[in-house]
Structures are given as structure tokens and as C-alpha cells.
């Protein structure tokens, strides 16, 4: 008499088990497989930061962080155009990544313990070594932030910037007030309109903001650096295969510069060397043997990316400084491809 009751229960269990197995199969689908199936890489970038990620007059995304998105797309698809760019605010960027709205975050983000260990994030490496600084109108004649006692300072919220500056001025026994903005362009406008006496951000970001002001030469970025800001690409920490792929695209750009592989040299006398390095690393990363050749041919090595977007001959006017290779007096360093 109990069999008619038991069988429906068994059927229900089987259905539930099937759903669990299907869910487990979906959960184990890798990011690389998702990207390939979609046919594009979805890359989170800033809403518009000079030199790093901004649209030009034709609506094309350009910049240091944009070129890294292109590098990953080149490694996977051999096509720099297969990227969908998603502009994200500082407060939204990490949630968009954990919510799977983007595959990769390439958006001047600082690697910190609370972000790395406190969230489901993985910083794959450092692409730009930065530090927080201050920009002031040149007419003030200020040479140090220690001269800003009583000042009102513009800052973008959703970052570590205000906390860093607050701690700095507290240690110095100085009192300042902050005018926070959710959007970078609003902070820049407030500073340009004289609503605050100074603007604080990463020094590279300040270079971009300065370049976008009507009269850049009327503003100076003070030499003082009050924090460490190692910036780099970020992915979710639940897919080791994807972490390794993105990490080694970054390392490949750095290692290529170190051994003299450039966009020009691989088209001339070093194509075989680039192909050999690609074949050594491609299979373990789930990439074709020619991935490094495609990356270098499309965006160049790390030095080329820097000079094109941030260098002294650009509106950013930044020198390599500590972002030079370790062999050239900087601290930029990557494990070897071998």
C-alpha cells in the first residue's frame, strides 16, 4: 500500500538530484569557456580617466587599462576588437565583478588586504605602481600638502583615498575638510570651479584630471606621496584557470619588454622567440601557441603600452619612474615564462 507513495518520492528525489547536478555543472563552467561561448570579453573600466580608460571623439575606448583588456582578448581570440567595455564607478566596480557583470576589472584599482582577503577577489599582479598625492592651483605657491591646513579637499568616494588623507593630516596635527563626490567628473568640476582648495587621488589619476582641465599648466601635482597604491587587474577568486590566464597575460607583457620583444621586433627578427615563449605557456593556460605573438602584435609590450598612453609625450606627461623594469632602475618585475 505504501508503494504508490514511495515512488512519487523517489521521482521527486531523482528530479531534485538532476537539478543539483545541472547546477553543479553550470557552477563549474569556467570563465574562459563562458567568454569563448559569448564571443567577447566583458571588461570593467573607469567611467573616463585620462590615459587609463576613456572614449575618444569617435567613441572608441583608449588607455592603459583598455589596452590590457585588449591584450586578454588578443590572447584568447587573436582579435583586440572582441571586448565589451563596461564603465564602472569606484563604488560599483568590485560588486559588478562579483555579480558576474564583467569577466575582468581593469580599472586603476589598488591591491589591499581587505579587498583581496575580505572579498571574493583576486588581484592578478601589479601593472602600475602608484601613490596618493595632491593637486593644487599653481597660484597658491604650495610645495607640500603640509601647507594645506584649513583647506577643503575634493575626493572621490568609494576608494581608500579619503581615509589615507585623513590619517596623513591627523598625524601632522592639521585640520582639513573633505568634499566627496561619487563621480570623478563631478570632483574635477568642483575643483575647477574653486569649490575646494585641493584635489587628492592617485598621482596617475591626478595627471589625467590635470590634463582634462581647461588650463593644465595652472595646476601642479605636489611631489609628496602619502600612500602605496599598487594598481592592477582584478578577477573573481573562484576560477583558478582564469586567474592564471589573466595573470600570465600581464606577466607576458612585462617579460616581453625585458627580453626586447616589441610589436616591431616580432614583425622583423624576433617572431620565432615570441612564438617559442607562446608555445611553452599556451597549453597550460588554455591558450593557442601563438597567444603572445598576437598580444604583442596588437598592443605591444608593457613599455609600449605605458609610453603610448601615459608617457612624457602624452597629455599625462608621466615618466616611467618606479614603473620602469627592474633592469632599468624601476621595480617592475614578473616571474619568467619557462
Amino acid at each position: 500500500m505504501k508503494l504508490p507513495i514511495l515512488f512519487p518520492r523517489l521521482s521527486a528525489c531523482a528530479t531534485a538530484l538532476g537539478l543539483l547536478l545541472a547546477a553543479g555543472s553550470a557552477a563549474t563552467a569556467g570563465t574562459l569557456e563562458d567568454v569563448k561561448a559569448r564571443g567577447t570579453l566583458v571588461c570593467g573600466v573607469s567611467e573616463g580617466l585620462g590615459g587609463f580608460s576613456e572614449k575618444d571623439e569617435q567613441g572608441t575606448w583608449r588607455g592603459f587599462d583598455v589596452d590590457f583588456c585588449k591584450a586578454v582578448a588578443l590572447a584568447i581570440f587573436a582579435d583586440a576588437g572582441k571586448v565589451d567595455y563596461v564603465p564602472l564607478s569606484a563604488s560599483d566596480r568590485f560588486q559588478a565583478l562579483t555579480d558576474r557583470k564583467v569577466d575582468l576589472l581593469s580599472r586603476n584599482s589598488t591591491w589591499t588586504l581587505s579587498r583581496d582577503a575580505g572579498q571574493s577577489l583576486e588581484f592578478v599582479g601589479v601593472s602600475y605602481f602608484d601613490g596618493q598625492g595632491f593637486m593644487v592651483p599653481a597660484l597658491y605657491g604650495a610645495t607640500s600638502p603640509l601647507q594645506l591646513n584649513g583647506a577643503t579637499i575634493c575626493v572621490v568616494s568609494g576608494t581608500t583615498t579619503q581615509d589615507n588623507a585623513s590619517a596623513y593630516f591627523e598625524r601632522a596635527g592639521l585640520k582639513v575638510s573633505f568634499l566627496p563626490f561619487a563621480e570623478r567628473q563631478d570632483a574635477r568640476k568642483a575643483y575647477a570651479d574653486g569649490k575646494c582648495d585641493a584635489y587628492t587621488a592617485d598621482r596617475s589619476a591626478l595627471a589625467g584630471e590635470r590634463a582634462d582641465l581647461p588650463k593644465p599648466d595652472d595646476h601642479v601635482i605636489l611631489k609628496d606621496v602619502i600612500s602605496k597604491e599598487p594598481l592592477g587587474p582584478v578577477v573573481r577568486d573562484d576560477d583558478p584557470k582564469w586567474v592564471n590566464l589573466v595573470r600570465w597575460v600581464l606577466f607576458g607583457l612585462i617579460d616581453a619588454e625585458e627580453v626586447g620583444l616589441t610589436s616591431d621586433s616580432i614583425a622583423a627578427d624576433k617572431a620565432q622567440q615570441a612564438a617559442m615563449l607562446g608555445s611553452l605557456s599556451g597549453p597550460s593556460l588554455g591558450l593557442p601557441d601563438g597567444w603572445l605573438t598576437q598580444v604583442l602584435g596588437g598592443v605591444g609590450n608593457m613599455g609600449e603600452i605605458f609610453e603610448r598612453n601615459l608617457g612624457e609625450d602624452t597629455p599625462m606627461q608621466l615618466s616611467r619612474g618606479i614603473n620602469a623594469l627592474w633592469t632599468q632602475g624601476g621595480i617592475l618585475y614578473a616571474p619568467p615564462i619557462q
Side-chain angles (χ1 to χ4, degrees), residues 311-328:
E312 295 182 14
D313 293 331
T314 72
M316 297 288 285
Q317 299 178 358
L318 293 172
S319 63
R320 286 293 292 273
I322 61 172
N323 286 289
L325 291 175
W326 66 285
T327 55
Q328 299 173 4

Side-chain angles (χ1 to χ4, degrees), residues 142-320:
T143 57
S144 167
L146 296 176
Q147 296 170 280
L148 296 178
N149 191 33
T152 299
I153 301 174
C154 282
V155 63
V156 177
S157 58
T159 71
T160 58
T161 307
Q162 184 171 336
D163 289 342
N164 291 341
S166 295
Y168 172 80
F169 287 112
E170 185 176 347
R171 287 194 301 269
L174 303 177
K175 291 188 178 298
V176 300
S177 59
F178 294 96
L179 194 57
F181 295 88
E183 307 296 337
R184 187 174 296 279
Q185 59 267 29
D186 294 334
R188 183 196 314 130
K189 186 177 186 305
Y191 171 79
D193 290 344
K195 294 181 179 179
C196 43
D197 305 299
Y199 189 171
T200 187
D202 294 348
R203 296 184 85 248
S204 63
L206 291 177
E209 302 288 30
R210 179 178 178 273
D212 283 338
L213 291 171
K215 296 182 179 180
D217 291 341
D218 288 351
H219 306 270
V220 295
I221 298 173
L222 303 179
K223 293 182 179 180
D224 300 66
V225 179
I226 69 166
S227 71
K228 295 183 293 184
E229 305 292 336
L231 310 179
V234 195
V235 295
R236 292 178 293 276
D237 65 2
D238 60 354
D239 188 345
K241 182 179 178 181
W242 181 246
V243 172
N244 275 334
L245 187 155
V246 178
R247 174 171 288 147
W248 280 96
V249 170
L250 173 62
F251 289 165
L253 293 169
I254 297 170
D255 283 331
E257 182 184 5
E258 183 178 333
V259 298
L261 291 174
T262 68
S263 55
D264 289 335
S265 70
I266 62 164
D269 59 332
K270 294 196 174 182
Q272 186 174 356
Q273 184 179 0
M276 179 192 68
L277 291 174
S279 64
L280 284 173
S281 53
S284 58
L285 297 174
L287 294 173
D289 289 352
W291 73 269
L292 185 58
T293 302
Q294 294 293 341
V295 168
L296 296 176
V299 295
N301 63 34
M302 183 59 78
E304 292 177 277
I305 292 172
F306 183 100
E307 295 302 336
R308 178 169 58 249
N309 296 295
L310 308 175
E312 295 182 14
D313 293 331
T314 72
M316 297 288 285
Q317 299 178 358
L318 293 172
S319 63
R320 286 293 292 273

